[in-house]
């Protein structure tokens, strides 16, 4: 019997100030011309046409209806958001939202609500909230059924404290620098607390949802942090202290998330050079000189620094090492041509992030 839809593609895509003119993003002069807007739209369409993801999580969405219509024309019949951007002075937009699009039915949509009592226990204030509302869409995917897909855009590293540079009391250059330094140190830590708290409270809600529904989980988005950093590393917790070993092994995997990159490389430990030397991934020689190994590409560049900020995390149904899994991660692609080898005419209105897309292959 012929098996259809044996592969699925999941992508996370930071659109970078997606706002239709004549509206402005953040400041009144930041408005795309009609030509620039058409060019930005075309860049998105070209990516979708070339890579054909089945489910896409978006960040930095201002123009919701415009994106919905663009995606509908590209074959995405299902689209959802759970928030709206903030608008001031009728045309200046702030606080963009996340969105999701799919070629398969979205059967339920919700904004994730955190546990307020737990937040208080963690020392957070009563008015704590996610910096951007987290979207949960339950999508009826082939072979695996209803799957909870979460889209996030965690708090950025931008300091949460700003100083008034017009303050007349800062009469010397040294005093001004001192105040900026203090604001950066304290404000940077404030943003870190916010980002880490968002990830923690979300993970708790995902575990509770998993317990209640037993549905597979996919978490995707712009994490604004290296996943290996201690601030977010608990998203990949797979061991427990002070728990019976047998029970941990039996139940823990079902409630844990796995980095799609790690699942991909686990399948490709014995890659040949021609398997890694392509546009999808780079290759490096391992320490034992046994050949090339996959090297994860950065998804964001800031000055001379690069980092991976965009991730897709998966529950055990997508882990080939799990006996009862349905799919395995057969490909991991970071689209970064516009970042490392840009062409002005093609890429000047693209995005400042790489686009991560994974291919899930039905296990035989």
């Amino acid at each position: 019997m012929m098996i259809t839809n044996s592969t699925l593609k999941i992508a996370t895509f930071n659109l970078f100030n997606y706002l239709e003119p004549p509206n402005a993003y953040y400041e009144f002069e930041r408005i795309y011309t009609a030509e620039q807007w058409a060019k930005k739209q075309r860049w998105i369409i070209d990516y979708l046409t070339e890579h054909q993801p089945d489910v896409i999580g978006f960040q930095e969405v201002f123009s919701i209806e415009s994106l919905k219509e663009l995606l509908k024309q590209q074959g995405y019949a299902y689209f959802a958001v759970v928030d709206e951007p903030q608008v001031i002075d009728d045309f200046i937009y702030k606080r963009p939202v996340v969105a999701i699009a799919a070629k398969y039915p979205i059967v339920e949509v919700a904004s994730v609500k955190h546990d307020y009592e737990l937040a208080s226990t963690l020392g957070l204030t009563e008015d704590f909230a996610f910096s951007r509302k987290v979207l949960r869409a339950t999508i009826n995917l082939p072979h695996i059924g209803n799957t909870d897909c979460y889209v996030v855009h965690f708090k950025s590293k931008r300091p949460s404290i700003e100083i008034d540079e017009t303050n007349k009391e800062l009469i010397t250059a040294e005093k001004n620098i001192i105040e900026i330094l203090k604001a950066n140190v304290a404000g940077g830590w404030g943003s870190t607390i916010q980002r880490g708290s968002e990830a923690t409270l979300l993970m708790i809600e995902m575990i509770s949802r998993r317990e209640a529904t037993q549905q597979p989980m996919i978490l995707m988005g712009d994490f604004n942090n290296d996943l290996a950093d201690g601030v977010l590393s608990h998203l990949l917790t797979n061991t427990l202290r002070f728990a019976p070993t047998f029970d941990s092994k039996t139940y823990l995997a079902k409630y844990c998330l796995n980095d799609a990159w790690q699942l991909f490389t686990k399948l490709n430990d014995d890659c040949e050079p021609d398997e890694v030397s392509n546009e999808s991934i780079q290759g490096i020689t391992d320490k034992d000189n046994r050949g090339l190994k996959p090297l994860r590409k950065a998804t964001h560049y800031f000055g001379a620094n690069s980092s991976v900020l965009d991730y897709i995390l998966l529950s055990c149904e997508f882990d080939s090492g799990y006996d009862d899994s349905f799919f395995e991660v057969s490909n991991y692609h970071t689209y970064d041509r516009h970042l490392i080898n840009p062409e002005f005419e093609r890429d000047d209105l693209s995005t400042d992030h790489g686009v991560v897309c994974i291919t899930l292959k039905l296990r035989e």
Side-chain angles (χ1 to χ4, degrees):
M1 182 177 66
M2 185 69 142
I3 297 178
T4 59
N5 301 319
S6 61
T7 61
L8 289 169
K9 287 187 174 182
I10 313 292
T12 179
F13 194 155
N14 185 315
L15 291 170
F16 188 51
N17 298 326
Y18 184 83
L19 180 59
E20 186 174 11
N23 298 306
Y25 50 94
Y26 302 114
E27 298 175 5
F28 73 91
E29 75 275 11
R30 293 183 174 180
I31 302 173
Y32 296 119
T33 66
E35 181 181 5
Q36 289 174 326
W37 179 245
K39 197 172 184 180
K40 187 173 183 69
Q41 296 277 80
R42 171 49 56 188
W43 194 91
I44 297 169
I45 291 170
D46 287 346
Y47 174 83
L48 298 176
T49 301
E50 181 178 354
H51 297 281
Q52 294 288 318
D54 297 293
V55 177
I56 318 169
F58 293 101
Q59 302 85 44
E60 294 205 29
V61 179
F62 287 116
S63 294
I64 295 171
E65 289 303 316
S66 173
L67 181 61
K68 181 178 180 180
E69 181 59 30
L70 179 151
L71 291 163
K72 183 178 179 181
Q73 294 173 5
Q74 301 306 308
Y76 295 87
Y78 305 94
F79 178 85
V81 295
V82 291
D83 199 8
E84 294 182 350
Q86 178 184 356
V87 185
I88 59 175
D89 296 331
D90 296 327
F91 77 102
I92 300 176
Y93 281 60
K94 296 183 177 182
R95 298 178 65 86
V97 303
V98 300
I100 195 166
K103 294 181 178 179
Y104 298 101
I106 297 176
V107 298
E108 183 184 354
V109 179
S111 171
V112 175
K113 307 297 183 184
H114 69 274
D115 184 326
Y116 289 87
E117 184 175 343
L118 175 59
S120 177
T121 301
L122 296 177
L124 302 174
T125 60
E126 289 185 1
D127 61 351
F128 175 87
F130 291 109
S131 54
R132 292 104 172 172
K133 287 186 178 180
V134 177
L135 183 157
R136 185 190 75 232
T138 303
I139 303 178
N140 191 353
L141 297 175
H143 307 292
I144 201 169
N146 287 352
T147 300
D148 289 328
C149 299
Y150 297 80
V151 184
V152 298
H153 190 178
F154 290 141
K155 178 68 177 74
S156 72
K157 292 185 178 180
R158 184 186 299 276
S160 58
I161 298 175
E162 297 182 1
I163 67 165
D164 181 7
E165 295 183 2
T166 63
N167 189 343
K168 301 301 183 182
E169 294 181 5
L170 303 179
I171 56 176
T172 68
E174 182 177 5
K175 180 66 174 175
N176 185 52
I177 291 299
I178 289 172
E179 292 305 310
I180 293 175
L181 174 61
K182 290 193 291 187
N184 271 260
V185 170
W189 177 241
S191 294
T192 299
I193 293 173
Q194 174 74 26
R195 186 166 56 257
S197 299
E198 289 175 356
T200 299
L201 293 171
L202 171 60
M203 190 65 201
I204 296 301
E205 295 308 310
M206 291 180 68
I207 292 170
S208 297
R209 170 79 175 179
R210 172 74 152 173
E211 181 184 16
T213 68
Q214 301 297 306
Q215 291 172 175
M217 302 181 290
I218 299 175
L219 171 61
M220 67 191 96
D222 177 357
F223 287 17
N224 266 315
N225 214 111
D226 189 316
L227 188 56
D229 189 302
V231 177
L232 298 183
S233 59
H234 51 280
L235 288 173
L236 298 179
T237 297
N238 59 9
T239 58
L240 295 176
R241 293 183 178 182
F242 316 119
T245 302
F246 176 79
D247 290 346
S248 294
K249 186 175 181 180
T250 302
Y251 300 112
L252 188 59
K254 187 166 66 172
Y255 294 95
C256 292
L257 292 172
N258 306 277
D259 184 355
W261 170 257
Q262 299 299 332
L263 296 181
F264 169 70
T265 55
K266 186 167 65 174
L267 278 179
N268 292 271
D269 281 341
D270 299 317
C271 285
E272 296 298 326
D274 61 347
E275 293 180 299
V276 294
S277 301
N278 55 43
E279 187 186 3
S280 291
I281 51 179
Q282 295 172 317
I284 56 171
T285 302
D286 69 11
K287 62 182 180 181
D288 297 321
N289 293 314
R290 292 178 298 186
L292 290 179
K293 296 293 180 182
L295 174 65
R296 191 177 207 157
K297 286 186 174 185
T299 67
H300 189 262
Y301 294 84
F302 185 76
N305 299 316
S306 63
S307 54
V308 180
L309 301 182
D310 304 84
Y311 294 91
I312 300 175
L313 309 186
L314 305 165
S315 59
C316 59
E317 287 85 358
F318 308 97
D319 178 2
S320 62
Y322 186 73
D323 290 341
D324 296 326
S325 63
F326 284 75
F327 288 90
E328 61 188 20
V329 183
S330 62
N331 193 30
Y332 188 107
H333 183 267
T334 301
Y335 186 79
D336 64 352
R337 182 176 63 179
H338 57 293
L339 301 177
I340 62 173
N341 187 29
E343 294 180 9
F344 181 81
E345 284 303 315
R346 181 189 66 200
D347 301 317
D348 68 310
L349 290 161
S350 54
T351 172
D352 60 344
H353 281 247
V355 185
V356 174
C357 183
I358 63 171
T359 301
L360 303 171
K361 181 183 177 183
L362 192 65
R363 295 188 66 190
E364 297 178 358

